[in-house]
Amino acid sequence: VVFTITNAGLGCSSTVSKQIDIRTVRADFASSANSICTNDSVRFYSTGTDSSGNATVTHSWSFGDGATPGSSNANNPPAVTYSTSGEKTITHYVSVNYGGGCGGTITDEETLTITVN
């Protein structure tokens, strides 16, 4: 960020610059299919972004009722199989821990619904 003050009457100015760090996280994701049959598998892929640098990023997935596995902590989890039919809500949580000082933790979550026939 650059801040400049100018006094046109005196023909002088003063400028101060400061580097800032904007920390973000987005938990977007995509699936390999929007509709599957029971006992078929589907994959979910993290497509989100973060400004983590050297910070610790944690992923947590919840795949809904009848899912195997039911959850995962992987960035891009293994294939998921559903043993029951219906609308399934998948939630992807992302947390970035920037540590102490000016750090802190920021989180985001995203949901997606698929149909299991």
Side-chain angles (χ1 to χ4, degrees):
V1 175
V2 177
F3 181 68
T4 303
I5 297 174
T6 303
N7 184 329
L10 296 177
C12 62
S13 65
S14 179
T15 301
V16 176
S17 63
K18 174 76 175 163
Q19 183 173 347
I20 61 171
D21 182 9
I22 299 177
R23 298 168 186 214
T24 62
V25 63
R26 236 174 96 199
D28 286 346
F29 68 100
S31 66
S32 61
N34 292 325
S35 179
I36 62 170
C37 294
T38 55
N39 299 316
D40 284 347
S41 63
V42 60
R43 301 222 35 150
F44 301 102
Y45 306 96
S46 176
T47 60
T49 58
D50 65 70
S51 59
S52 60
N54 292 325
T56 302
V57 179
T58 304
H59 294 267
S60 177
W61 297 80
S62 176
F63 301 118
D65 295 333
T68 302
S71 63
S72 175
N73 292 325
N75 180 23
N76 292 307
V80 178
T81 303
Y82 289 92
S83 60
T84 59
S85 62
E87 297 289 312
K88 307 298 179 178
T89 300
I90 298 86
T91 306
H92 180 206
Y93 304 91
V94 178
S95 176
V96 180
N97 184 341
Y98 289 98
C102 293
T105 300
I106 60 172
T107 61
D108 190 34
E109 70 178 73
E110 184 71 22
T111 61
L112 174 78
T113 302
I114 65 167
T115 302
V116 179
N117 299 305

